[in-house]
Amino acid sequence: MSRHAAELSVLLVDDLYGELTSRLFEVLLRYGRLSIPAIQFHTQLKLEVVKHGLSVLVQQHLVLWYSSAEDNATVFEANTEATYLLVRSGKCIEITEKRMGEFAGAVVSNLLLLGHARVGDLVQAYGVSHNREHKGQPNNGYGFPTKPLQNGTVQRDHQAEDHNVSLESLHSTLGDLLKAGFLRQVNESHFRSDADNRTEADRMVKPPAEYKAKSKKESDAQRERAIREKLHEWKYGTERERKAINSLAKGKKRMLEDPESTRAEKRRRLYLPLTKQVVGSTGEVYQPNWGDTGYLDNNMILRVNHAKFAVIMRNKCLVRLADQSFSSSTSKVYTKVLGALEPGLWDCKEEPDPTDEKGEEIDFGSLNQVSTDEIVATIKDSSDLANALGEGENGKASLTRFDHPKKRRKKEFDTEDEVMVDGDASPDEGEDDSEPNDNISELLSDSEDTVGEADYGPIASNRAPDPHRNTIRSHLLLLAQHPHHFLHHFPRTRIQSESWAVHFPPLVKTLTHHTLLQTITSRHGLPAARLTRMLSQKGKVDEKTMCQTSLIGQKDMRSYLTTLHKEGMIEVQEVPRDNARKAERTSFLWFFDIDRCRLKVLEETYKTMGRFLQRARVEGNKVKGTVEKASRSDVVGREKELLGSQEMKALEDWRDVEERIWGEIGRLDNLVAVLRDF
């Protein structure tokens, strides 16, 4: 991990959880995997204090742990990826509130505060009753905070009446969040690193000798496939858990149970989340068995699924890129396509690479697809979409004006061949005496690509032309024919309707390249971005070729190249012409390495975010007394009555500074998401 990223992680932990946890986290970052005695040695803290700090970090998934099966020793290591996601908590709450309501946002906020929690603990914390006769009535006990304040803190609402919290509404909200992927079930593998999970899976899967294979190579391949399936189940859940979540989404009244528990079990038991061990309770308290109800299992442990929010953020960036490439109307259609594909995407890293291990192209048919009819059903009004396209010859939408000028001269959409598909045979066509259904490949092909037509080539349709459908299809074809390939088109066949898919890895590379060019433009101007774009397209180029291509003077060009090289955006390679290696006999080839530039910008972004957090701490210490006074429970909501005019002014100034600082951190987080998480 880089130095600035480590500093940012320690600052985030210290700002949210205090000095003790940040001290332990810093030690784990510096020394790597450590046991509890080793942590005591490096921190010089008592055993009880170390255990308390580690429990907080493990609860928040900021520290991973692993117990070896050989010596039963437990070691801990810092989870740097989860630590950075603390910056994105506000965006997760905002997305949830916008899509599922204010109460769902409050549930996500509380789970972000707790790290992970049992469903039964959430029910008890919200103060809703478990009894049959009081089911659905809010309790007057202590519940979770529900009222957000301007300064980012929350106010506790004992009655919980603002959101009408009941047992049904809480379980319904949790089920909706699970179905949408905003929450996920927690298992023991989530507290281990990827390397430790691989070790555990390798230990649990049977050895190669037990597989029925003709050769050792085949047995090793079968075992490797079994290990990957086990890792996939640990990360994304088992097939049984997915079916249970889908049954909730379809409205089936069925309880999600733990695999080790049974429906007939009625006694209340204690549940250890890290080991999944269930032990009997000493109180002999009975829990009502509601059977076929819509309630989740109380022993289910939930946490926020940050990977799903990364998918939503990626979709927003792709829609913004489509808006810049086309228009707002076409981007609205692209929003519907991405929204239809979103339920099948759980992680940005889950999609396959453009090529497999052998270097061959992947099968695009394995991608998630959405049909044209499904997209048309989500768009009610297409009047603004039709006006955005315009009309070409014969009232058909002309797509050539969206092409690059060089490609525009090569493309002709209304060719004579396309006209002859729906008309009579051309004079030079020979008569074919064979039956029309002799060649099955002709039946399954779809050579018609004319925009705005209801018929699809050889497969004629009896329905009347639909202007609404044809307009939306025209925008979809625009997205598919663009050089960025926003969509992949699957033509209609006899056995499958017309569908569309999105291949994300090439789009993410385009988005990353576009973001880096925007960063270079904002720092060094348009000529520098032009040179960088030219180097990315042509590879390694000397200065003479660059002068001829970029139309920039040699003197100005050298100044831009020197600045970009000094910033680490581009690199230069020296190629001597002879063994003397003199400067006048050496060719200097400039090139653009996108991965190196991406890491450079990421490192600078981490450094900037850390400086923002330090500035926020300095500004907060100036009004520390006023802020602590305003955060007291008897002062919250009555600041104007209990605070003086100078204190109110200082508090308002501090809140304004804090809002601007975190606003800048949020903008920088968008850059990090594009360059790292997508």
Side-chain angles (χ1 to χ4, degrees):
M1 189 178 187
S2 62
R3 179 171 63 91
H4 295 298
E7 292 179 358
L8 175 62
S9 301
V10 174
L11 288 172
L12 287 171
V13 175
D14 183 63
D15 185 61
L16 295 176
Y17 303 109
E19 183 180 357
L20 172 62
T21 53
S22 64
R23 186 174 176 181
L24 295 175
F25 190 81
E26 185 178 7
V27 168
L28 292 175
L29 276 180
R30 182 178 301 175
Y31 297 101
R33 297 162 64 100
L34 295 175
S35 61
I36 291 183
I39 296 175
Q40 281 187 268
F41 173 77
H42 291 293
T43 58
Q44 299 298 318
L45 296 174
K46 296 181 179 179
L47 179 62
E48 294 78 5
V49 178
V50 172
K51 288 185 176 181
H52 175 72
L54 288 176
S55 64
V56 174
L57 293 173
V58 171
Q59 176 76 17
Q60 300 297 331
H61 295 259
L62 303 180
V63 165
L64 304 174
W65 59 273
Y66 176 67
S67 296
S68 176
E70 299 176 356
D71 52 3
N72 202 22
T74 303
V75 292
F76 300 85
E77 63 176 309
N79 187 6
T80 55
E81 183 177 356
T83 306
Y84 176 81
L85 294 177
L86 296 173
V87 177
R88 210 167 289 170
S89 300
K91 293 181 181 178
C92 298
I93 300 173
E94 181 183 0
I95 292 173
T96 307
E97 289 181 349
K98 185 179 297 183
R99 294 196 173 195
M100 310 187 66
E102 186 178 353
F103 179 61
V107 173
V108 171
S109 176
N110 292 324
L111 283 174
L112 287 171
L113 182 66
L114 296 173
H116 64 264
R118 291 173 59 249
V119 174
D121 295 336
L122 289 174
V123 171
Q124 183 180 3
Y126 272 103
V128 290
S129 176
H130 284 277
N131 299 327
R132 286 174 178 257
E133 58 272 13
H134 299 292
K135 185 175 61 177
Q137 299 179 1
N139 194 351
N140 293 336
Y142 294 95
F144 274 123
T146 58
K147 293 183 178 180
L149 297 180
Q150 296 179 357
N151 59 355
T153 59
V154 288
Q155 180 181 0
R156 185 176 299 276
D157 185 5
H158 300 290
Q159 299 293 337
E161 294 179 353
D162 291 344
H163 299 290
N164 296 323
V165 180
S166 62
L167 195 61
E168 288 81 1
S169 63
L170 179 58
H171 280 273
S172 176
T173 302
L174 291 175
D176 293 340
L177 290 172
L178 274 172
K179 181 247 180 181
F182 293 167
L183 300 183
R184 65 184 303 181
Q185 301 184 50
V186 180
N187 54 56
E188 188 176 354
S189 64
H190 294 162
F191 296 90
R192 298 192 295 255
S193 63
D194 294 339
D196 294 332
N197 282 330
R198 172 75 187 195
T199 302
E200 283 295 311
D202 188 75
R203 184 178 62 86
M204 295 175 63
V205 174
K206 56 185 180 180
E210 299 184 12
Y211 289 93
K212 296 180 180 180
K214 297 180 180 179
S215 61
K216 184 178 183 299
K217 184 178 181 180
E218 292 183 2
S219 62
D220 292 340
Q222 293 179 5
R223 187 171 188 273
E224 181 67 23
R225 193 181 304 112
I227 292 176
R228 291 183 179 181
E229 291 177 357
K230 176 66 68 174
L231 294 176
H232 190 272
E233 288 182 359
W234 285 348
K235 188 173 183 180
Y236 299 108
T238 61
E239 191 68 23
R240 180 182 182 276
E241 294 173 349
R242 294 181 180 179
K243 290 181 179 179
I245 294 176
N246 292 333
S247 66
L248 285 177
K250 297 177 182 178
K252 295 182 180 179
K253 300 299 183 180
R254 190 168 296 175
M255 183 183 295
L256 283 176
E257 297 179 351
D258 189 88
E260 299 179 3
S261 63
T262 59
R263 191 180 292 271
E265 183 182 13
K266 296 184 178 181
R267 292 184 182 275
R268 184 181 179 184
R269 298 188 173 186
L270 299 179
Y271 186 77
L272 303 181
L274 298 185
T275 61
K276 286 192 175 182
Q277 180 183 1
V278 183
V279 296
S281 173
T282 57
E284 295 295 325
V285 180
Y286 285 88
Q287 178 181 350
N289 182 25
W290 293 323
D292 292 335
T293 63
Y295 300 133
L296 304 177
D297 181 22
N298 284 332
N299 287 333
M300 181 189 297
I301 306 176
L302 301 177
R303 61 170 293 192
V304 176
N305 184 17
H306 289 276
K308 187 66 175 183
F309 290 100
V311 172
I312 297 174
M313 293 175 62
R314 181 182 63 181
N315 290 347
K316 289 183 178 180
C317 292
L318 292 178
V319 169
R320 193 180 303 115
L321 181 62
D323 190 9
Q324 296 174 0
S325 302
F326 298 102
S327 63
S328 59
S329 300
T330 307
S331 65
K332 291 179 182 178
V333 178
Y334 197 48
T335 303
K336 298 298 182 181
V337 177
L338 294 176
L341 295 174
E342 184 180 300
L345 300 175
W346 294 89
D347 194 349
C348 291
K349 308 298 183 182
E350 189 180 2
E351 293 86 9
D353 294 330
T355 56
D356 59 9
E357 297 178 356
K358 298 181 180 180
E360 301 177 356
E361 294 185 359
I362 66 169
D363 181 16
F364 287 98
S366 61
L367 300 176
N368 295 329
Q369 302 177 17
V370 56
S371 64
T372 305
D373 296 332
E374 293 176 0
I375 302 173
V376 172
T378 59
I379 302 176
K380 303 302 181 183
D381 185 14
S382 62
S383 57
D384 56 338
L385 302 180
N387 296 331
L389 283 175
E391 292 186 356
E393 297 180 0
N394 301 325
K396 299 177 182 178
S398 176
L399 307 184
T400 56
R401 64 189 182 92
F402 294 96
D403 292 330
H404 192 274
K406 293 183 179 179
K407 294 186 178 181
R408 191 182 307 167
R409 294 190 294 267
K410 299 179 181 179
K411 286 189 177 181
E412 294 180 0
F413 288 90
D414 298 334
T415 59
E416 181 177 323
D417 295 336
E418 293 182 351
V419 175
M420 289 303 164
V421 171
D422 293 330
D424 298 331
S426 58
D428 56 347
E429 263 186 324
E431 296 292 337
D432 191 1
D433 297 330
S434 61
E435 292 295 328
N437 295 343
D438 281 348
N439 192 354
I440 191 63
S441 62
E442 294 179 0
L443 293 176
L444 299 180
S445 65
D446 188 4
S447 60
E448 178 67 12
D449 201 19
T450 303
V451 181
E453 292 293 331
D455 295 337
Y456 294 83
I459 306 174
S461 177
N462 295 326
R463 61 184 177 184
D466 185 1
H468 175 69
R469 187 180 189 278
N470 294 337
T471 300
I472 297 175
R473 184 175 181 273
S474 300
H475 285 276
L476 294 174
L477 286 174
L478 276 178
L479 293 166
Q481 294 170 1
H482 193 271
H484 293 340
H485 300 290
F486 290 96
L487 290 178
H488 187 79
H489 182 212
F490 294 92
R492 185 167 66 91
T493 62
R494 290 290 184 184
I495 60 177
Q496 183 181 4
S497 61
E498 184 184 40
S499 59
W500 311 82
V502 179
H503 191 38
F504 287 101
L507 275 176
V508 170
K509 291 183 179 179
T510 302
L511 186 62
T512 302
H513 184 262
H514 184 72
T515 304
L516 292 176
L517 288 180
Q518 284 184 335
T519 304
I520 294 174
T521 303
S522 62
R523 293 183 181 182
H524 308 291
L526 287 174
R530 189 195 310 169
L531 292 172
T532 306
R533 187 184 300 109
M534 186 189 65
L535 291 176
S536 64
Q537 294 175 355
K538 296 184 176 298
K540 297 181 180 180
V541 184
D542 58 354
E543 293 185 0
K544 183 178 179 180
T545 306
M546 293 177 66
C547 289
Q548 297 175 355
T549 307
S550 63
L551 301 179
I552 301 177
Q554 186 175 11
K555 184 177 180 181
D556 297 335
M557 186 191 65
R558 284 184 176 178
S559 63
Y560 286 117
L561 292 176
T562 303
T563 304
L564 291 173
H565 180 62
K566 184 178 180 180
E567 294 289 335
M569 302 296 180
I570 62 175
E571 301 295 332
V572 61
Q573 180 182 2
E574 300 180 4
V575 181
R577 300 178 186 176
D578 51 22
N579 295 331
R581 296 182 178 274
K582 295 182 179 179
E584 60 271 10
R585 298 290 299 171
T586 301
S587 299
F588 296 91
L589 302 179
W590 298 87
F591 64 96
F592 174 69
D593 189 347
I594 187 172
D595 292 331
R596 191 176 301 178
C597 181
R598 180 181 62 85
L599 295 176
K600 177 66 176 179
V601 175
L602 267 179
E603 185 69 13
E604 294 177 355
T605 306
Y606 291 146
K607 180 180 179 181
T608 305
M609 296 174 73
R611 298 299 180 266
F612 271 123
L613 290 177
Q614 292 177 353
R615 172 51 56 184
R617 178 179 300 182
V618 171
E619 296 294 334
N621 289 333
K622 295 180 181 178
V623 291
K624 183 178 180 180
T626 304
V627 173
E628 291 179 352
K629 183 178 180 181
S631 61
R632 286 165 41 184
S633 59
D634 57 337
V635 180
V636 172
R638 303 172 56 193
E639 291 88 349
K640 295 182 179 180
E641 301 176 6
L642 302 178
L643 296 180
S645 58
Q646 295 183 354
E647 292 178 333
M648 280 297 302
K649 186 178 183 305
L651 183 62
E652 292 175 356
D653 294 342
W654 155 241
R655 289 177 177 176
D656 181 63
V657 171
E658 185 183 30
E659 182 179 358
R660 285 185 291 165
I661 288 177
W662 280 101
E664 292 295 331
I665 292 177
R667 291 176 61 250
L668 294 173
D669 175 60
N670 294 334
L671 180 62
V672 174
V674 174
L675 300 180
R676 191 193 69 171
D677 298 334
F678 294 169

